[in-house]
Amino acid sequence: MPQIAQILETYASQFFWMLLVFGILYFVIGRGMVSKIDANVEARDRKIADDLAAAEKARAEADGLVAGGSEALNAARGEAQAKAAAAKAKGAKDAEARLAKADEEISAKLAAAEADLAKARAKAMAGIESVAAEAAADIVAKVSGAKVSAAQAATAVKAVLS
Amino acid sequence: MAGESGKIDPMHQFQIEPLAKLDLFGYDISFTNSSLFMLVVLGAIWVFMAGGMKRELVPGRWQMAVEGVTGFINNMMSSSIGPEGKKYVPLVFSLFMFILFANFMGMMPIGIVPGAHAFTVTSHLTVTAVLAVLSFGTVLVVGLWKHGLHFFSLFVPHGTPWWLLWLIPLIELFSFLIRPFSLALRLFVAMTAGHVLMKVLAGFVINGLNAEALWVAPLVALPSFILMIGITLLELLVCAIQAYVFALLTSLYINDAVNLH
């Protein structure tokens, strides 16, 4: 086995070159390159984490905006409803007032008409009385030949009619 | 390797051959085929990592692969140690990548180029020993640095009955001290055994085809070849598993040192 047979002749060379090579490997590659590569990997991981956090934040913001938007929408709807209700109430009041006014006018007209009617009736009644008195006087004169004064006839007719 | 008599030596692949003689304070630190493959492994890791260094926000395929590996080690460290495990990621990452790439580099079919041979760096005890000592040394230094002498309470697990206090710490100490050996030997043995097995089977295939008796080829070479395909796939799996085991055990041992059970 040359590894053991040659050990006395070669150990110094093997140790020397092994330590030299390993020293270069450790300091140049192990300490230099690996740490740079690790730093790069870490930077990438951090960037990914940051981007994810930013995206998460943006989503939360968007959610907030959506909530705010629906709130504004609700407020606007409430306002519109209040306005509509107010307009309706005002319309109803107006209509009522107009109705009352019309009512008043109508009742005034009605009263006037009734008064006219009463007057006309009274006039007619008076007409009827005088006609009836004349007729009564005529009838009395024709039937009994007695002369009845107009005043007597009117009194008699009034008593019968009323 | 085919010798003069057509004999194939399955151990020859582990032979270390100096390519350039070097000397430092009387120690022979020659540049060998083993050193060459360490550098090849280092270069391959560097190419792999550099391909993923564009550091784009949206990663491409290559960057995804590199980030997958670093993320894998990161996860392993944070799941076995916790948030403090981040500090030890470079060490475990380097161990894992070196073992993984060295194992795979040994499996590369470099032998099809005449004169070139793949060399499995991690099949050498001297190499795995260095890796294990780095792992174990980190545990010791971190444990003593963070907890001082309190670190030795590691050897007295919670709930030890008083009448076992003479035995349990001994066993714990033994299991603690054996860690670097088990780390080094596990990797060394797994890689060596796998490569020896593959080489022996390859020898069966080649010698079977070259045999004078005609019945040897279908009866020996063919089944060996089929078996070798399976063993090679298994060996690729072992390459990854050994790297994973080494890294995982190191992270668990560091966890002991950081969190003291």
Side-chain angles (χ1 to χ4, degrees):
Chain A
M1 196 176 261
Q3 290 101 315
I4 292 165
Q6 284 187 308
I7 204 162
L8 282 178
E9 315 150 39
T10 59
Y11 76 95
S13 154
Q14 290 280 74
F15 287 172
F16 174 79
W17 288 102
M18 188 60 228
L19 285 173
L20 183 71
V21 165
F22 197 83
I24 296 169
L25 176 62
Y26 178 75
F27 285 105
V28 175
I29 294 176
R31 300 221 104 160
M33 290 169 141
V34 171
S35 54
K36 276 183 198 156
I37 288 168
D38 278 354
N40 187 39
V41 171
E42 257 162 45
R44 180 186 312 131
D45 288 351
R46 200 166 43 240
K47 179 146 177 41
I48 289 171
D50 285 356
D51 286 358
L52 279 179
E56 187 64 35
K57 215 177 115 194
R59 201 183 65 171
E61 228 165 77
D63 281 354
L65 279 181
V66 166
S70 69
E71 213 165 84
L73 200 67
N74 279 341
R77 187 179 294 142
E79 208 176 304
Q81 270 170 354
K83 262 185 192 160
K88 216 193 235 170
K90 205 181 152 214
K93 210 187 259 173
D94 276 3
E96 218 169 278
R98 228 177 288 153
L99 203 65
K101 209 175 147 200
D103 229 15
E104 228 165 69
E105 271 168 28
I106 287 167
S107 40
K109 257 184 211 163
L110 204 64
E114 260 169 24
D116 281 354
L117 202 62
K119 220 189 266 174
R121 202 160 118 201
K123 210 173 158 189
M125 200 66 99
I128 285 171
E129 264 175 40
S130 62
V131 169
E134 269 170 36
D138 284 352
I139 290 164
V140 168
K142 260 183 199 161
V143 171
S144 62
K147 266 250 202 235
V148 180
S149 70
Q152 273 177 320
T155 314
V157 165
K158 209 171 248 174
V160 171
L161 279 178
S162 59
Chain B
M1 283 297 101
E4 302 94 77
S5 61
K7 188 171 155 283
I8 291 172
D9 175 12
M11 302 314 271
H12 184 81
Q13 57 175 325
F14 303 118
Q15 198 80 33
I16 293 178
E17 282 147 10
L19 300 176
K21 285 267 174 210
L22 287 174
D23 211 79
L24 186 76
F25 307 126
Y27 287 103
D28 174 25
I29 56 155
S30 299
F31 187 76
T32 60
N33 54 347
S34 173
S35 323
L36 175 67
F37 266 83
M38 289 175 198
L39 291 180
V40 167
V41 166
L42 178 65
I45 296 173
W46 188 83
V47 166
F48 174 70
M49 295 300 288
M53 285 296 284
K54 273 179 246 156
R55 299 169 65 195
E56 283 162 1
L57 189 61
V58 179
R61 287 180 198 190
W62 198 311
Q63 194 183 337
M64 205 70 198
V66 172
E67 280 172 8
V69 178
T70 59
F72 169 67
I73 299 294
N74 262 329
N75 279 345
M76 189 201 284
M77 298 311 277
S78 51
S79 63
S80 45
I81 300 176
E84 261 190 279
K86 204 123 189 66
K87 268 190 279 179
Y88 309 101
V89 165
L91 176 76
V92 175
F93 181 83
S94 305
L95 286 170
F96 176 75
M97 288 303 265
F98 185 83
I99 295 168
L100 186 73
F101 273 66
N103 290 352
F104 279 137
M105 205 53 78
M107 295 291 291
M108 291 292 142
I110 296 170
I112 59 172
V113 179
H117 307 293
F119 186 88
T120 317
V121 185
T122 39
S123 68
H124 272 258
L125 195 50
T126 37
V127 169
T128 59
V130 170
L131 296 173
V133 165
L134 283 170
S135 163
F136 187 69
T138 306
V139 171
L140 275 184
V141 169
V142 167
L144 289 173
W145 187 272
K146 277 185 84 80
H147 304 288
L149 289 179
H150 193 61
F151 177 58
F152 294 106
S153 70
L154 190 64
F155 303 134
V156 189
H158 289 299
T160 309
W162 59 269
W163 49 272
L164 271 176
L165 272 179
W166 60 277
L167 181 61
I168 296 288
L170 268 180
I171 295 173
E172 289 283 327
L173 177 67
F174 187 71
S175 82
F176 182 78
L177 290 179
I178 213 163
R179 282 172 181 184
F181 298 99
S182 67
L183 274 179
L185 285 172
R186 182 182 303 112
L187 182 56
F188 155 66
V189 165
M191 297 323 293
T192 302
H195 281 269
V196 168
L197 182 57
M198 284 194 297
K199 198 66 90 182
V200 166
L201 284 171
F204 284 170
V205 175
I206 293 166
N207 285 343
L209 288 174
N210 290 341
E212 282 170 34
L214 280 178
W215 58 268
V216 177
L219 235 64
V220 176
L222 187 65
S224 299
F225 186 68
I226 293 167
L227 182 60
M228 203 185 154
I229 293 172
I231 295 285
T232 305
L233 292 176
L234 191 67
E235 191 58 21
L236 286 171
L237 184 67
V238 168
C239 286
I241 287 177
Q242 286 301 324
Y244 174 65
V245 165
F246 200 102
L248 184 67
L249 285 175
T250 300
S251 74
L252 292 177
Y253 294 162
I254 293 176
N255 176 46
D256 277 354
V258 172
N259 298 323
L260 287 184
H261 282 300

